[in-house]
């Protein structure tokens, strides 16, 4: 048998009333039922809390010490569950993780509309260079993920796909082209973020795959391209939020788009996650959550 909040309340009532009879009357319980509850708590803890050997009930030294801790625990739970005090813990920031581009060009709108709808609840964008943008290890409450990323114990909303862009050096011959194809990049070195990127050599036909240069961060990826040492392939959101000196973005016309997902734990780790999901759907025009 494990003890719970009911046992703490029963013990505190007995300690305050001075007798099990009076405590039972205050709690609208029968005396035998309250005596059993006290016995269950003592059995669970392996220590006697109440001395019943005298005419008047008294707490043992262990009972006196436990009463102080039990009182604080019950008070904390009551405060947490008090609707009048809910605003305090609801103001804990809601964390939205992303690997590099959040919602792309829609990100400012999301933040503006969130501040208007929830002025007392911060929405924090957290960039984390992992495949799940911090969701799998609990660093964020929800995450925008690109590509085929599966996170156990989560729910998802499919956001609009993003077309792919070629990222090239502004000083190179490809930057002035109105559009590019994978064949235009096949003879170049392609920089790939091996941690969070959505580009692999399998985008190209088996006989014309480019040389791959692996980088660890978005910053490394941008620097490699700006210096002319490589080209890149990336979702359109990167071109919207990562303008970088020396890097030009050119549309790719013969490559499938990148799937984008809003993902959160089930059950949510923050009470405002449903409001975030709803707003992201409105901002992006996404369908409803998966069942």
């Amino acid at each position: 048998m494990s003890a719970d909040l009911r046992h703490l309340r029963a013990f505190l009532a007995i300690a305050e009333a001075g007798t099990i009879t009076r405590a039972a009357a205050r709690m609208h319980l029968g005396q035998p039922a309250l005596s059993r509850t006290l016995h269950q708590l003592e059995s669970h803890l392996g220590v006697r809390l109440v001395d019943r050997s005298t005419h008047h009930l008294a707490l043992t030294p262990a009972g006196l010490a436990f009463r102080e801790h039990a009182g604080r625990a019950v008070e904390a739970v009551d405060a947490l569950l008090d609707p009048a005090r809910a605003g305090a813990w609801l103001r804990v920031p809601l964390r939205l993780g992303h690997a590099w581009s959040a919602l792309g060009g829609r990100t400012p709108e999301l933040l503006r509309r969130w501040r208007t709808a929830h002025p007392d609840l911060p929405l924090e964008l957290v960039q984390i260079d992992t495949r799940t943008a911090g969701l799998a290890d609990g660093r964020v409450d929800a995450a925008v993920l690109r590509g085929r990323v599966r996170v156990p114990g989560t729910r998802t909303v499919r956001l609009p796909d993003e077309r792919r862009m070629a990222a090239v050096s502004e000083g190179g011959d490809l930057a002035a082209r109105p559009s590019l194809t994978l064949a235009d990049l096949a003879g170049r070195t392609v920089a790939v973020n091996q941690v969070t990127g959505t580009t692999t050599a399998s985008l190209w036909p088996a006989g014309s795959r480019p040389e791959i240069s692996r980088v660890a961060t978005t910053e490394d990826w941008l620097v490699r391209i700006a210096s002319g040492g490589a080209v890149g392939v990336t979702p359109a959101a990167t071109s919207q939020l990562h303008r970088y000196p020396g890097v030009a973005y050119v549309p790719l016309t013969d490559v499938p788009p990148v799937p984008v997902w809003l993902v959160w734990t089930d059950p949510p780790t923050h009470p405002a996650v449903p409001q975030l999901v709803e707003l992201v759907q409105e901002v992006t025009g996404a369908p409803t959550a998966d069942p």
Side-chain angles (χ1 to χ4, degrees), residues 33-144:
L34 188 57
S35 295
R36 284 194 300 270
T37 302
L38 174 61
H39 178 69
Q40 290 169 350
L41 177 61
E42 292 177 324
S43 297
H44 173 77
L45 295 174
V47 64
R48 180 174 285 269
L49 301 174
V50 177
D51 186 357
R52 306 171 183 80
S53 61
T54 60
H55 180 69
H56 297 289
L57 177 149
L59 299 183
T60 66
L64 290 170
F66 185 73
R67 180 183 186 179
E68 180 180 350
H69 293 287
R72 288 201 297 265
V74 171
E75 181 180 354
V77 172
D78 287 344
L80 182 63
L81 298 179
D82 183 358
R85 304 185 189 182
W89 57 266
L90 282 174
R91 285 192 292 271
V92 174
L94 175 61
R95 302 159 299 167
L96 177 61
H98 64 105
W100 69 90
S101 295
L103 294 181
R106 297 183 178 93
T107 304
E109 180 185 355
L110 173 70
L111 296 176
R112 285 195 300 268
R113 291 181 58 176
W114 182 270
R115 283 196 297 270
T116 299
H118 308 280
D120 296 324
L121 175 57
L123 173 60
E124 294 183 352
L125 290 183
V126 186
Q127 183 175 356
I128 299 177
D129 285 323
T130 68
R131 288 297 291 168
T132 67
L135 187 65
D137 55 11
R139 284 186 281 174
V140 298
D141 304 297
V144 178

Side-chain angles (χ1 to χ4, degrees), residues 182-286:
L182 289 176
D184 295 323
L185 307 181
R188 318 276 175 140
T189 298
V190 177
V192 172
N193 187 324
Q194 59 186 342
V195 179
T196 62
T198 57
T199 302
T200 66
S202 63
L203 281 176
W204 285 262
S208 59
R209 289 177 177 171
E211 179 183 351
I212 298 296
S213 176
R214 292 176 172 80
V215 298
T217 67
T218 303
E219 184 71 19
D220 293 340
W221 182 84
L222 290 166
V223 169
R224 187 77 57 86
I225 294 167
S227 67
V231 298
V233 176
T234 188
T238 306
S239 67
Q240 297 164 347
L241 289 189
H242 288 282
R243 293 293 179 182
Y244 194 85
V247 175
Y249 296 97
V250 183
L252 277 173
T253 60
D254 63 342
V255 64
V258 177
V260 186
W261 309 84
L262 177 64
V263 187
W264 65 97
T265 56
D266 186 21
T269 55
H270 192 288
V273 165
Q275 287 79 13
L276 174 64
V277 174
E278 182 179 359
L279 184 56
V280 170
Q281 289 176 290
E282 292 179 5
V283 169
T284 63

Side-chain angles (χ1 to χ4, degrees), residues 13-40:
I14 293 169
E16 181 179 352
T19 71
I20 292 179
T21 300
R22 285 199 294 267
R26 293 178 183 180
M27 298 185 72
H28 304 288
L29 295 174
Q31 181 178 340
L34 188 57
S35 295
R36 284 194 300 270
T37 302
L38 174 61
H39 178 69
Q40 290 169 350

